[in-house]
Amino acid sequence: MSGGDKLDFEIRPNPAPVSAADRAALLANPGFGRVFTDHMVTIRYADGKGWYDARVEARAPIPMDPASAVLHYAQEIFEGLKAYQSVDGGVTLFRPEANAARFAASARRMAMPELPEQAFLESLEHLVGIDRDWIPSVEGGSLYLRPFMFASEVFLGVRPANEYLYVLIASPVGSYFSGGVQPVTVWVSPDYTRAAPGGTGAAKCGGNYAASLVAQAEAIEHGCDQVVFLDAVERRWVDELGGMNVFFVYDDGSLVTPPLTGTILPGITRESVLRLAERAGHTVAEQPVSFEQWQADAASGRLREVFACGTAAVITPIGEVRHPGGSFTVGDGGPGAVTMSVRQQLVDIQRGAADDEYGWVRRVR
Ligand code: PLP
Ligand code: COI
């Protein structure tokens, strides 16, 4: 496939899907990323041939040669988005075109071929269509979709691979944090940074997450749910969390989030929150926030709320901040009114319960 050519997906339904009773048991309390559906999508790429061999088939292990390039130099990218059971019984995706665009941007940064938007969207529609019975109908449940792509060429030289495999899998999920929408506690990492200028911070590549795990483990040792990364140059400015962007809400009703300077992931939830908050009459700004200022504004009461946002986290209040010098609470430590109101607006749009005035919702069924 090259340019605008359309891929034909070969559909091979799973001959031994999970029984309805077993599926219902799994969907009762899926947690996050532990349960998987019956199918997956795969599309191959080779230099000179383009994208080919698109399939919807039974979810199964992927045979791999031990010299597959990804196993050595981590040429891998991924995305995360959700399919929702909408209030009218249909199924919706939230801004999947934005995920397609970010997947292409990540591919460019990692010297990988770009999967055309149409193929990305069709892969989602095929998988959600064939596995639609796996979408949890409980409040807060959704089908998390994980598109990813890796260098599958068998060679050990350090150069961009000539062959890639795109895969899409799906996982029914509940809340990312075990406490649901209860405020989380975050750990400000003193030692580890996530991304430096010129690095891969704005790309959704597996390596960024591998490098964050030790900092996340340190957060957990300190009784925290997530790590907050400061910038790599001055160790002063708040970048983002391990898997979420961050917003600050002040006593004048304004919202501030760190700007996209290339070291943080351009979150689709982040961008949506900026639009929704502005529509609701809040002043919004993309501005650097220093950790010192965060502490000072929490102490003075000027800072009322802080929240994390992302596909997995949706919008989750941050109640307490821990760091090597101590800890502090934000506001009264509970979920803030602005946080919960923006969350509700977002969730209502995602589930088709509110007007989709920005055209963010794509119906798949
Ligand atoms: N930042 C990081 C590091 C992430 O992994 C994610 C999740 O994808 C986000 C931010 C939020 O991005 P989005 O809102 O597009 O899910
Ligand atoms: C997402 O929100 O989709 C992510 O990839 C973040 C990760 C913490 C699951």
Side-chain angles (χ1 to χ4, degrees), residues 173-186:
V173 298
S175 175
Y176 184 72
F177 293 111
S178 53
V181 197
Q182 286 314 302
V184 295
T185 300
V186 295

Side-chain angles (χ1 to χ4, degrees), residues 174-227:
S175 175
Y176 184 72
F177 293 111
S178 53
V181 197
Q182 286 314 302
V184 295
T185 300
V186 295
W187 169 251
V188 181
S189 176
D191 298 320
Y192 301 108
T193 57
R194 180 180 176 277
T200 57
K204 208 161 164 57
C205 58
N208 286 345
Y209 297 79
S212 77
L213 297 177
V214 66
Q216 176 65 21
E218 195 180 74
I220 289 165
E221 274 166 33
H222 286 87
C224 298
D225 304 281
Q226 270 277 307
V227 57

Side-chain angles (χ1 to χ4, degrees), residues 62-357:
I62 300 168
M64 266 199 162
D65 187 284
S68 298
V70 66
L71 299 178
H72 303 272
Y73 312 118
Q75 207 188 1
E76 189 268 354
I77 57 171
F78 67 98
E79 268 304 322
L81 71 162
K82 287 173 170 171
Y84 306 87
Q85 195 88 65
S86 96
V87 291
D88 64 3
V91 177
T92 57
L93 296 173
F94 184 69
R95 307 188 70 180
E97 303 82 1
N99 293 94
R102 190 170 64 189
F103 197 59
S106 297
R108 287 192 294 274
R109 178 62 183 84
M110 302 302 286
M112 297 166 89
E114 290 175 40
L115 181 70
E117 179 188 73
Q118 191 186 0
F120 183 91
L121 297 176
E122 279 185 39
S123 73
L124 300 174
E125 288 179 358
H126 278 297
L127 191 64
V128 171
I130 200 161
D131 281 338
R132 71 166 297 166
D133 290 344
W134 285 93
I135 306 177
S137 49
V138 292
E139 168 103 38
S142 56
L143 186 65
Y144 184 78
L145 300 165
R146 171 52 61 84
F148 61 103
M149 172 173 36
F150 59 87
S152 54
E153 189 188 355
V154 177
F155 84 115
L156 292 181
V158 182
R159 59 154 170 79
N162 290 328
E163 292 168 19
Y164 295 87
L165 183 64
Y166 166 83
V167 188
L168 170 65
I169 55 174
S171 171
V173 298
S175 175
Y176 184 72
F177 293 111
S178 53
V181 197
Q182 286 314 302
V184 295
T185 300
V186 295
W187 169 251
V188 181
S189 176
D191 298 320
Y192 301 108
T193 57
R194 180 180 176 277
T200 57
K204 208 161 164 57
C205 58
N208 286 345
Y209 297 79
S212 77
L213 297 177
V214 66
Q216 176 65 21
E218 195 180 74
I220 289 165
E221 274 166 33
H222 286 87
C224 298
D225 304 281
Q226 270 277 307
V227 57
V228 175
F229 287 107
L230 301 180
D231 79 289
V233 177
E234 296 183 65
R235 304 285 183 109
R236 181 169 174 220
W237 306 101
V238 177
D239 268 352
E240 62 177 324
L241 277 56
M244 292 140 220
N245 294 116
V246 61
F247 272 85
F248 299 85
V249 184
Y250 296 95
D251 57 358
D252 61 358
S254 63
L255 277 77
V256 174
T257 192
L260 301 179
T261 53
T263 59
I264 69 177
L265 194 79
I268 295 157
T269 318
R270 173 189 177 280
E271 210 264 331
S272 308
V273 166
L274 285 168
R275 307 265 290 272
L276 291 175
E278 193 161 38
R279 185 186 65 173
H282 297 275
T283 303
V284 298
E286 299 177 69
Q287 264 170 20
V289 176
S290 71
F291 181 51
E292 290 149 83
Q293 198 66 45
W294 184 355
Q295 287 176 270
D297 290 341
S300 72
R302 189 172 98 82
L303 178 68
R304 289 287 163 84
E305 306 174 24
V306 179
F307 62 85
C309 69
T311 298
V314 193
I315 289 182
T316 302
I318 296 177
E320 187 185 338
V321 185
R322 296 187 187 163
H323 57 102
S327 68
F328 61 94
T329 51
V330 177
D332 62 5
V338 174
T339 302
M340 297 313 279
S341 146
V342 178
R343 181 187 161 95
Q344 198 59 48
Q345 290 172 56
L346 179 70
V347 168
D348 284 349
I349 294 175
Q350 289 169 335
R351 300 200 156 270
D355 262 4
D356 176 26
E357 77 178 71

